[in-house]
């Protein structure tokens, strides 16, 4: 066996995990979200930057505001999921670098003094963290329904500010009835991996 992770964990995190489109009404607790974050905060990033920011949409009023910015095909499932999270990149992440990268605190100014450099780094590294966030949801025994079909400018104005760029919206909960679309095909190893 080439993998150390046991088969049940492989199935939970990868093989059997799917994007959920319906959910039960079982709530997702604050303790579950805390446990997810405490697991995924170790995602690898450049300079140990941590640009991911998560807005948990819990109140009915906030949910209604969010649904208005979702693509039509994403509205119903977003309105009924037990929890919805907006994942965003903090373009001012560099302010925390002296604490997060203490052996080279000057990285804040040497590499990230320009806004364009920060936005590029924040988008890439927050996306890495977002992938881990999805795995963390699965590790908690929950299903994730990540979506990028939304009005980004509307969500930014409604829930964030100009320093935060929305990356995705994730519905979270226990999968409901008919939660899964048929699994799409994947590329084979030889189509992806090249050795030089």
């Amino acid at each position: 066996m080439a993998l150390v992770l046991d088969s049940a964990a492989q199935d939970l995190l990868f093989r059997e995990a799917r994007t959920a489109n319906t959910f039960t009404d079982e709530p997702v607790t604050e303790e579950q979200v805390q446990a997810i974050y405490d697991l995924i905060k170790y995602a690898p990033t450049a300079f140990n930057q941590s640009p991911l920011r998560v807005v948990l949409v819990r109140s009915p009023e906030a949910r209604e505001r969010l649904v208005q910015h979702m693509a039509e095909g994403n509205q119903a499932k977003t309105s009924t999921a037990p929890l919805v999270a907006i994942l965003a990149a903090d373009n001012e992440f560099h302010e925390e670098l002296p604490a997060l990268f203490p052996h080279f605190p000057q990285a804040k100014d040497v590499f990230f003094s320009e806004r364009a450099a920060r936005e590029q780094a924040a988008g890439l590294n927050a996306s890495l963290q977002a992938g881990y966030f999805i795995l963390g949801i699965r590790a908690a025994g929950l299903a994730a329904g990540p979506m990028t079909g939304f009005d980004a400018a509307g969500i930014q104005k409604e829930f964030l500010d100009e320093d935060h760029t929305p990356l995705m919206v994730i519905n979270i909960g226990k999968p409901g009835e008919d939660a899964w679309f048929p699994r799409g095909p994947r590329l084979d190893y030889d189509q992806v991996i090249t050795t030089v």
Side-chain angles (χ1 to χ4, degrees):
M1 186 64 161
L3 300 175
V4 174
L5 200 63
D6 68 57
S7 291
Q10 293 171 37
D11 287 344
L12 177 70
L13 297 176
F14 300 99
R15 285 192 292 261
E16 300 298 325
R18 306 283 295 283
T19 296
N21 293 288
T22 67
F23 298 89
T24 69
D25 58 3
E26 184 178 331
V28 177
T29 67
E30 199 66 33
E31 293 78 16
Q32 286 173 301
V33 177
Q34 178 73 52
I36 290 165
Y37 180 73
D38 286 343
L39 185 63
I40 67 96
K41 67 185 177 184
Y42 300 107
T45 57
F47 296 98
N48 200 36
Q49 61 185 270
S50 296
L52 180 68
R53 300 294 178 268
V54 180
V55 177
L56 299 177
V57 182
R58 289 198 180 273
S59 74
E61 298 80 18
R63 182 74 61 97
E64 188 175 312
R65 289 175 15 231
L66 175 61
V67 167
Q68 294 174 14
H69 297 291
M70 300 303 294
E72 185 176 341
N74 293 330
Q75 290 179 348
K77 55 189 168 186
T78 302
S79 67
T80 58
L83 178 63
V84 182
I86 300 168
L87 275 57
D90 181 358
N91 296 308
E92 297 299 312
F93 69 88
H94 68 304
E95 295 297 343
E96 293 156 347
L97 280 182
L100 293 173
F101 204 61
H103 59 280
F104 185 41
Q106 304 90 334
K108 170 184 180 261
D109 299 314
V110 171
F111 296 106
F112 302 110
S113 61
E114 300 293 326
R115 173 71 179 224
R118 290 196 305 273
E119 287 179 355
Q120 183 178 15
L124 173 61
N125 288 281
S127 294
L128 287 170
Q129 291 181 286
Y132 271 68
F133 191 79
I134 293 168
L135 286 175
I137 292 168
R138 293 171 174 179
L142 301 169
M147 301 165 290
T148 55
F150 54 80
D151 171 14
I155 286 180
Q156 184 180 40
K157 182 176 180 183
E158 192 79 40
F159 294 96
L160 304 165
D161 59 35
E162 63 184 19
D163 289 330
H164 294 80
T165 303
L167 300 173
M168 66 182 69
V169 174
I170 302 181
N171 294 327
I172 305 169
K174 293 282 186 180
E177 189 174 334
D178 298 321
W180 323 116
F181 294 146
R183 185 182 288 284
R186 299 297 193 268
L187 296 176
D188 290 331
Y189 178 91
D190 292 338
Q191 295 175 280
V192 175
I193 306 298
T194 304
T195 302
V196 295

